[in-house]
Amino acid sequence: QVQPAESGGGLVQAGGSLRLSCTASGLIFDDYISGWFRQAPGKEREGVVCISWDGQTWNGRNTYYAESVKGRFTISRDNAKKTLYLQMNSLKPEDTAMYYCAADIPGCSSDAYGVRGYWGQGTQVTVSS
């Protein structure tokens, strides 16, 4: 299967910003659900931000944001470049994790991982205090 490739991670100070990018040949992130997940050491992989393309909604909206990142993270796409973005502002130490891009997945909850779709290998984000 096609494997997305993430980039843009790094080490930043609390309050800083990062922009993650995800590309995948043959995909334009417009089928089922696409989004970003993260996993901290010893923790479960969790959905951070997702966009649905198949009619699924969260509280009547086609975009899901985890409560912990609302107002700070923004998801967007550029179909011409076949790229999905995650803009992260006002970063906190608790945002430290490996961030994964996913496409054609069934949902944005932890249960979506390992079910179906395309998953990247991850890009590390570390936020220092």
Side-chain angles (χ1 to χ4, degrees):
Q1 293 184 330
V2 175
Q3 183 175 34
E6 306 95 337
S7 63
L11 192 156
V12 298
Q13 293 183 324
S17 299
L18 285 174
R19 189 188 192 190
L20 306 184
S21 300
C22 174
T23 61
S25 179
L27 299 176
I28 57 175
F29 304 103
D30 65 351
D31 198 15
Y32 299 100
I33 296 172
S34 301
W36 293 88
F37 287 64
R38 68 185 181 186
Q39 186 170 24
K43 302 295 184 180
E44 185 179 45
R45 188 174 298 192
E46 63 174 348
V48 179
V49 188
C50 291
I51 294 178
S52 70
W53 316 107
D54 63 355
Q56 181 178 138
T57 60
W58 299 272
N59 293 322
R61 302 177 180 179
N62 69 341
T63 304
Y64 168 85
Y65 288 87
E67 189 68 28
S68 61
V69 306
K70 287 182 178 178
R72 300 189 298 118
F73 290 11
T74 304
I75 190 170
S76 63
R77 70 171 180 176
D78 185 335
N79 282 339
K81 298 180 179 180
K82 298 182 179 180
T83 303
L84 190 71
Y85 300 99
L86 180 64
Q87 179 66 46
M88 305 186 294
N89 299 324
S90 301
L91 284 163
K92 304 175 181 180
E94 51 263 43
D95 294 319
T96 296
M98 185 73 74
Y99 283 71
Y100 300 89
C101 174
D104 294 0
I105 55 177
C108 204
S109 68
S110 297
D111 292 339
Y113 179 60
V115 178
R116 72 154 190 256
Y118 306 104
W119 292 83
Q121 296 186 59
T123 184
Q124 179 67 38
V125 172
T126 302
V127 184
S128 64
S129 59

